[in-house]
Amino acid sequence: KQEVTQIPAALSVPEGENLVLNCSFTDSAIYNLQWFRQDPGKGLTSLLLIQSSQREQTSGRLNASLDKSSGRSTLYIAASQPGDSATYLCAAGDRGSTLGRLYFGRGTQLTVWP
Amino acid sequence: NAGVMQNPRHLVRRRGQEARLRCSPMKGHSHVYWYRQLPEEGLKFMVYLQKENIIDESGMPKERFSAEFPKEGPSILRIQQVVRGDSAAYFCASSPPSGSRDTQYFGPGTRLTVL
């Protein structure tokens, strides 16, 4: 059974810092890896999707990498801003008979202070 | 193009009552997924449906829970005889006909409180 772990659980940094959020998964046979953002009381917003054949994806100040062999993904946030404060969730997309299912980590709660 | 819609946003039920949660996928999306987020826990997959078909319900409790996605209308997650442990945020997501190759777009969730 796939287990997804995210560290750190919480992170508090001053504005302008570059950040790395970590995600690890136990079963490397994934279909894709997604990063989401969740604001308090809100739904999830998709940030980046990396297919299993890809190594990284970039969108603006965000860059996500995927190393299937080691079971790891990182989300890099450049020049952090207070508006980046949210919980960041990593999700591994299953393949095989349960294709379509996402396995989520518990998230990293990020606070960026001015 | 409106996003994934869920209603109600908040639902309060007493133990033993039924809860019905609705999800309207994004226009053109034919795949729907339901996830549950218990307090202090991550999101857990419950069920994956396509129009009129349940594809994977292995994450759904065997009793009291059911889901459907009819040909017309929203997807419904139904919880019978609710208990306090059912209190959680229930999220629906949808994806295009190509299904699991694409990102899943999430709704705002329904927060169920069982008194």
Side-chain angles (χ1 to χ4, degrees):
Chain A
K1 183 190 169 193
Q2 181 74 270
E3 298 282 346
V4 178
T5 304
Q6 291 187 247
I7 54 173
L11 187 60
S12 180
V13 299
E15 182 177 7
E17 283 210 358
N18 300 323
L19 311 170
V20 176
L21 307 183
N22 296 292
C23 170
S24 62
F25 45 94
T26 55
D27 186 350
S28 61
I30 61 172
Y31 199 86
N32 54 36
L33 192 290
Q34 298 185 46
W35 283 92
F36 293 89
R37 168 185 173 139
Q38 184 176 26
D39 293 280
K42 302 285 181 62
L44 281 67
T45 301
S46 178
L47 297 173
L48 291 165
L49 167 69
I50 312 175
Q51 300 291 355
S52 61
S53 58
Q54 297 175 321
R55 285 295 189 102
E56 66 177 343
Q57 284 287 333
T58 297
S59 175
R61 295 183 293 108
L62 305 179
N63 174 276
S65 66
L66 174 64
D67 184 344
K68 277 181 54 179
S69 61
S70 66
R72 292 182 183 178
S73 176
T74 60
L75 179 67
Y76 177 82
I77 303 175
S80 59
Q81 303 170 359
D84 295 331
S85 298
T87 297
Y88 290 81
L89 299 171
C90 162
D94 214 2
R95 64 189 308 133
S97 62
T98 52
L99 191 63
R101 173 194 291 222
L102 291 178
Y103 290 91
F104 281 87
R106 292 195 179 191
T108 293
Q109 187 173 355
L110 173 64
T111 302
V112 181
W113 39 278
Chain B
N1 188 4
V4 177
M5 313 263 297
Q6 289 188 249
N7 68 79
R9 295 289 306 277
H10 299 274
L11 182 62
V12 179
R13 285 286 179 266
R14 296 190 181 279
R15 281 179 297 171
Q17 292 183 320
E18 178 180 286
R20 279 183 175 244
L21 288 63
R22 294 175 185 78
C23 169
S24 296
M26 288 180 69
K27 188 176 180 181
H29 286 192
S30 56
H31 297 244
V32 166
Y33 314 81
W34 286 92
Y35 294 85
R36 177 166 67 173
Q37 187 173 36
L38 292 165
E40 307 303 323
E41 292 192 19
L43 278 84
K44 304 288 187 191
F45 168 84
M46 298 182 74
V47 62
Y48 168 25
L49 310 105
Q50 295 177 20
K51 284 283 187 181
E52 300 184 280
N53 286 306
I54 297 175
I55 306 302
D56 177 5
E57 59 180 346
S58 57
M60 202 144 70
K62 294 286 187 286
E63 297 179 352
R64 304 187 297 107
F65 285 73
S66 62
E68 62 176 8
F69 189 17
K71 188 176 179 181
E72 301 290 339
S75 175
I76 306 287
L77 178 67
R78 182 182 177 204
I79 311 172
Q80 295 178 288
Q81 299 177 333
V82 296
V83 301
R84 288 219 174 104
D86 297 332
S87 295
Y90 292 81
F91 290 95
C92 166
S94 72
S95 65
S98 54
S100 52
R101 295 187 186 88
D102 294 284
T103 190
Q104 295 180 17
Y105 296 85
F106 280 75
T110 293
R111 278 147 186 86
L112 172 65
T113 301
V114 179
L115 302 177

